[in-house]
Amino acid sequence: MASTETRSKKTKKSAKKKAAKKSSARSGLRSAGSITAPAAAKKKTAKKSPASASRPAQWLTAFPKDFLWGTATCATQIDGGDLHSDWAKFSQTPGRIADGKDCLVACDHWNRFEDDYKLMKSLSFNAYRLGVDWSRMEPRPGEMDHAALNHFRGMLDSLRKKSIRPLLTLNHFTLPQWWLERGGWTKESNLENFLNFVSYIVENVGDLVSEYTTINEPNVYAMFSYMDGLWPPAKKGLSGYFQSMKVLRNMAIAQGRMYDIIHETHALKGFARPYVGVAKHVRIFDPARPDNRLDKDRAAEAEYRFNYMWTDSIHDGRLQGSLGKNEKFHDGPCWDFVGLNYYSRDRIRFRASAIAHLFISQEEVKDAPTNDLGWEIYPEGLYRLLHQFHDRYRLPIRITENGIADASDNRREEFLMAHLQQIARALNEGISVEGYYYWSFMDNFEWAEGYGPRFGLVEIDYETQARKVRKSAQSLKKMIAQARKSSR
Ligand code: GCO
């Protein structure tokens, strides 16, 4: 698995600096580099990209009429008001979050969803990936909060009335604190609790939702929570590494069970036929020194372990790589579509001292454009990954996340064009891409990074909770309109 070297952030205060250094390990996986793009990179950002070189109308014809134009969010990152999650506790622990702020209010979306969905509609989206937090639905073991469920049904109903198709995530990192204290994902015997929650949700909202991304980014969770000590329960070291493999193994087993629960429940209740996928964080891993044998070898290892080990397992219904000895846990594939969360590329270098990370480390980005967090902007990576996942699994694909932290909003439009253009390229080559969900609809709580990074199409003023549509959102709206007008 990729290493997580910290990078030095140019923050002013030393306390801030310390927290930032810790949380930056998150982007260590995503790419090392300073928070400000290096001069060379800045120059590159300003240069004409392939995206701006060709006319939108031309390449936008590649998108089919029924293409899903959406955005993505996550309950913990925007909702506020959930007091029983592991993140509620963790984010209130001093030193854990870069800006010292917790996730208890976030964007107050739980109370403002109607206005937020109106805004979403006004921007022309016809799809939305959202989450539901288990901790909110079952704050204490066996005690379901029916009022919260009804409220959530109201949210889905509001989307339905606006013809925005929901894609529901059942686990997006966050857990009930009580389940984490029982060992969370590390114990196979705990899965029963999680699967009860899944049944409960599917039975109670399956009339309003038929598309699911079961688990968000299993590898990212396993790494930050069990290898790097950055997210709850903040484990690390070699014992953390072994626990992280158990987490991944149990998540794969849970995937098999969830797949069946969702399909069976929908059939039994007479709900629409469901469509089940995962939201898998995928990255490009290139050798830092293209001709170095060790770098090439470690890049290939990182690619297999991070991009494919888990998805190969759920595709075959057998536990692969470090997850098991090919034991069968499901009859055939337990997903109907592939969901890809794509952000960046890592340049991999062999490092003898990186023992707990299998000698894998990342090179700092010096020669490429980056986002506000120092992650390399590499649109072509999306095209490469679409090909790789198509060739490997032959399933329809959705881009369940892709976005940029760009507080100035100077690079977002170009970022969108460049990535959409890579999707168009893949579509023209016959790859089935069904939808694109930009991360994120609005600015939000970026886990250990706090509220600093600004990924939103809609800007949030956290003091007043005022929403402001960014210029790039209007540009995307125009692209969507053009695509719809010109599509086949
Ligand atoms: C993830 C998530 C989101 C992040 C987004 C930007 O990738 O970790 O699904 O929760 O906020 O990716 O980092």
Side-chain angles (χ1 to χ4, degrees), residues 203-428:
E203 278 168 24
N204 286 292
V205 305
D207 55 332
L208 297 169
V209 174
S210 53
E211 298 180 344
Y212 300 86
T213 38
T214 48
I215 301 185
N216 181 70
E217 304 191 347
N219 298 68
V220 172
Y221 175 78
M223 175 179 268
F224 289 130
S225 293
Y226 287 91
M227 288 171 72
D228 296 332
L230 292 166
W231 290 0
K235 304 282 186 212
K236 50 183 158 185
L238 223 47
S239 74
Y241 169 80
F242 289 114
Q243 282 184 307
S244 77
M245 292 303 131
K246 280 192 194 154
V247 166
L248 287 174
R249 176 191 164 94
N250 290 330
M251 283 180 160
I253 295 169
Q255 177 68 22
R257 302 275 304 277
M258 270 190 281
Y259 183 82
D260 294 343
I261 289 172
I262 295 169
H263 277 275
E264 281 160 17
T265 308
H266 272 251
L268 214 70
K269 291 259 193 182
F271 300 153
R273 193 185 159 77
Y275 197 49
V276 181
V278 298
K280 178 76 182 69
H281 190 111
V282 289
R283 311 180 62 78
I284 291 288
F285 297 94
D286 282 338
R289 296 162 292 183
D291 299 322
N292 182 288
R293 198 174 48 79
L294 291 173
D295 288 4
K296 281 205 270 191
D297 175 69
R298 291 300 82 194
E301 179 75 14
E303 179 181 75
Y304 171 68
R305 298 181 74 85
F306 194 82
N307 283 357
Y308 296 117
M309 189 168 75
W310 197 81
T311 47
D312 279 0
S313 299
I314 66 158
H315 193 70
D316 293 350
R318 290 180 179 276
L319 296 162
Q320 323 255 315
S322 308
L323 306 189
K325 297 193 181 81
N326 213 29
E327 301 103 293
K328 186 170 171 179
F329 65 93
H330 191 262
D331 242 344
C334 31
W335 56 350
D336 301 317
F337 71 93
V338 176
L340 300 182
N341 294 358
Y342 174 69
Y343 289 87
S344 189
R345 150 164 86 170
D346 292 324
R347 322 270 185 103
I348 301 297
R349 180 183 278 263
F350 170 85
R351 192 175 303 278
S353 58
I355 302 169
H357 286 100
L358 309 175
F359 310 106
I360 296 165
S361 74
Q362 282 107 27
E363 201 78 327
E364 195 176 325
V365 183
K366 293 195 194 97
D367 58 351
T370 55
N371 74 5
D372 287 350
L373 288 162
W375 308 352
E376 180 181 351
I377 299 170
Y378 179 55
E380 197 178 351
L382 184 53
Y383 171 79
R384 287 171 62 186
L385 286 160
L386 282 169
H387 260 284
Q388 289 171 22
F389 275 78
H390 171 78
D391 294 349
R392 202 168 182 111
Y393 303 122
R394 301 274 157 184
L395 286 173
I397 304 176
R398 291 188 188 185
I399 308 306
T400 39
E401 278 181 37
N402 172 240
I404 178 171
D406 174 25
S408 66
D409 200 36
N410 286 336
R411 284 162 293 167
R412 192 169 283 105
E413 178 184 346
E414 186 178 337
F415 176 96
L416 280 160
M417 287 222 292
H419 285 81
L420 288 172
Q421 206 166 49
Q422 296 296 336
I423 297 174
R425 228 176 126 190
L427 281 166
N428 285 333

Side-chain angles (χ1 to χ4, degrees), residues 26 30 74 77 129 172-173 216-217 220 231 281 341 343 375 401 439 444-447 455:
R26 173 162 164 72
R30 284 139 189 254
C74 147
Q77 293 179 266
R129 177 173 167 236
H172 198 129
F173 305 143
N216 181 70
E217 304 191 347
V220 172
W231 290 0
H281 190 111
N341 294 358
Y343 289 87
W375 308 352
E401 278 181 37
W439 181 273
N444 56 54
F445 174 73
E446 179 64 14
W447 310 111
F455 279 92

